[in-house]
Amino acid sequence: MMANKTLDGADLMADDTTNSSARTTAESKSAEAPVTKPAVTQTQSVTLLQRLGKLFAAGPVKPGDSFGAPGQGRSLAISIVTALSLIGLWFVATSAGWVKPLFLPSPVAVVERFWEVLTEGFANATLLEHTGWSMLRVFGAFALALVTAVPIGIFMGVNRVARGLFDPIIEFYRPLPPLAYLPLVIIWLGIGETSKIVLIYMAIFAPMALSARAGVKSVAIEQIHAAYSMGASRWQVVRHIILKSALPEILTGMRIGIGFGWTTLVAAEMVAAQAGLGFMVLNAAEFLVTDVVIMGIIVIGVIAYLFDLLMRYAERKLVPWKGR
Amino acid sequence: MSRLQIHDVSVVYPGLNNGEEVRALSNINFSIEPGEFVVALGASGCGKTTLLSLMAGFISPTDGYLTLGDNPVSGLPRVACGVDLQDQIAGPGKERGVVFQKHALLPWLNVLENTEFGLKLQGIGKSERRERAAAFLKLVGLEDFHNHPVYQLSGGMQQRVGIARALTNDPEMLLLDEPLGALDALTREVLQELLLDVWKETEKMMFFITHSVEEALFMASRLIIMSPRPGRITHEFKLDFNERFLECRDARKVKSMPEFIEMREKVLSIIHGDEQSGGMH
Ligand SMILES: Nc1ncnc2c1ncn2[C@@H]1O[C@H](COP(=O)(O)OP(=O)(O)O)[C@@H](O)[C@H]1O
Ligand SMILES: [Mg+2]
């Protein structure tokens, strides 16, 4: 077992380095010097082709891996290379003057603006205040959705009355763009904080409830039978079997839900906001301060990504049996 | 303890995609007496699991009904045993423990927690249920695996956890669906003997499904042989090899008795005859 683990680790690293070096060669070739192709000798090009081919093969199996398991192997190195290349391209494009700063300011300008908004503020609020308000709205709505959507989704899964009741409501409003019902929410709830949180809440609610419901559907009937024949009551089956089985999908629903939350943030902060990342971006766009727009987008992206990492960590800790 | 009775039961599964419906069981009349060890033997697809699911209360028959003593198990007869059973709720119950063909363990619980799960449902205190679960885990040879996640165990070990779980719950009747199928020959013999010991000691009713003729003959007080399409019981034998083993405690000796070998050949020829007349697919 131990030997196996070590082997696995060593092999993983070896594999990763070959992958990333092959990848880097390919990247730089296509990005900078496509003309070098004739210079490559025949044998080299064969190995290069083989290496590229290997990236897309079913793959020789590493110890501990199953042959042909879809998408096996690490992709982190490739992702980092992709991200760095994009930033590099951005850098080159702006410093070479291919695009005007009005359309795409340089990374340096964005970082400077980041520092300025952090310390001095933009549109009567500092970056921390903008971020704080937005997080309050998104996570507030998320928490509300968590305590309502998950129980309702479970209830829809286990009870046909609940399913009949909620299904048409959720399925009707779910595909609507939040901007379509924003005016109605404002007419009903005013332009205060409530309408903003409710708008985000509605966007999070549907995917979260539907995931919880799908989780209930995914429970193995044998496990329910086993519990009943050990004397479980209906409530015990819901609590000990159905809730536990649904947990992986509930967590997936939370990840999808918070994503919808961030997507809806800008819409929610369109009307009568004093602060918030969405408000900041909209306000900056109005005055064509493009570097603030880009900075705001990056801040939203980074927060959303960090939260997703946290959720993935929680998934590994809470449902280690997922997919087994 | 009370007898389990099957009253003229048929099960028809609706065919998939407008396919032909499957007569999984046809007019089964049969009962298990208190203290009996009944083994069901038959080719796959002859309705053994369906019969067990009926007894467990997981499915209802298309026709007929089942009772345990005066209580309905499955199906809703108007009147049975002189008692009006209409409107009574039938289904699974903790007096009928089940060992599943596919183990049906709970992956979020470790081996010990899976084993004590039934006692936990019944509100029995932690120290008592741990003690009882640990005793049965030791009997099935898993005393060193209490804290292992069940999804990391081999198929045979998972099967043994399933058996320990059912035994820990101490039901009146045990329904076992090919419980030893995934085990190696040695462990299999140990667990055959364990189940016979538990049976002798507690006088539980047993319904045990197997593919192995030798296992069937060794374990059964009564052996039923089933045949498919439609699923039905074609032969019944009263046997006492299990009693003989419990007296002499020598499985090899019992399994090499002339009577045992003779019976084995007889059952094999029945099953093979069945195959030739289109029993197997
Ligand atoms: N849920 C089901 N739906 C439709 N057909 C089924 C279902 N379960 C079992 N069957 C069919 O009923 C027959 C008996 O199945 P089963 O009781 O599982 O047999 P065994 O356990 O003896 O192998 C088989 O032909 C099987 O295909
Ligand atoms: Mg079966």
Side-chain angles (χ1 to χ4, degrees), chain B residues 44-45 47-50 101 177-178 209 211:
Chain B
S44 56
K48 303 183 297 294
T49 299
T50 304
Q101 188 167 5
D177 197 348
E178 301 186 27
I209 295 175
H211 265 127

Side-chain angles (χ1 to χ4, degrees), chain A residues 244 247-248 251 314-323:
Chain A
K244 289 282 167 56
L247 197 55
L251 288 169
E315 232 169 38
R316 276 199 303 279
K317 287 287 153 200
L318 289 173
V319 293
W321 71 85
K322 187 180 176 181

Side-chain angles (χ1 to χ4, degrees), chain B residues 12 29 59 93 98 125 131-132 138 193 222 245 247 253 260 263 269 276:
Chain B
V12 178
N29 278 292
I59 59 172
V98 180
E131 198 178 310
R132 279 166 67 178
K138 192 163 158 52
E193 295 176 16
R222 189 144 56 99
F245 163 75
E247 271 162 38
K253 190 177 140 198
F260 191 94
M263 197 65 215
S269 69
Q276 271 145 30

Side-chain angles (χ1 to χ4, degrees), chain A residues 2 8 31 58 82 94 105 132-133 144 152 157 197 253 256 283 294 298 318:
Chain A
M2 280 300 279
D8 194 20
T82 310
T94 47
W133 276 105
L144 270 179
I152 286 174
I197 291 182
I256 298 172
N283 194 290
I294 290 179
I298 292 177
L318 289 173

Side-chain angles (χ1 to χ4, degrees), chain A residues 223 230 236 244-245 321, chain B residues 94 105 108 121-122 151 169:
Chain A
Q223 291 172 354
M230 286 187 282
Q236 281 178 320
K244 289 282 167 56
S245 291
W321 71 85
Chain B
K94 72 166 188 288
L105 299 174
W108 47 90
L121 292 174
Q122 289 154 46
Y151 53 81
N169 216 35

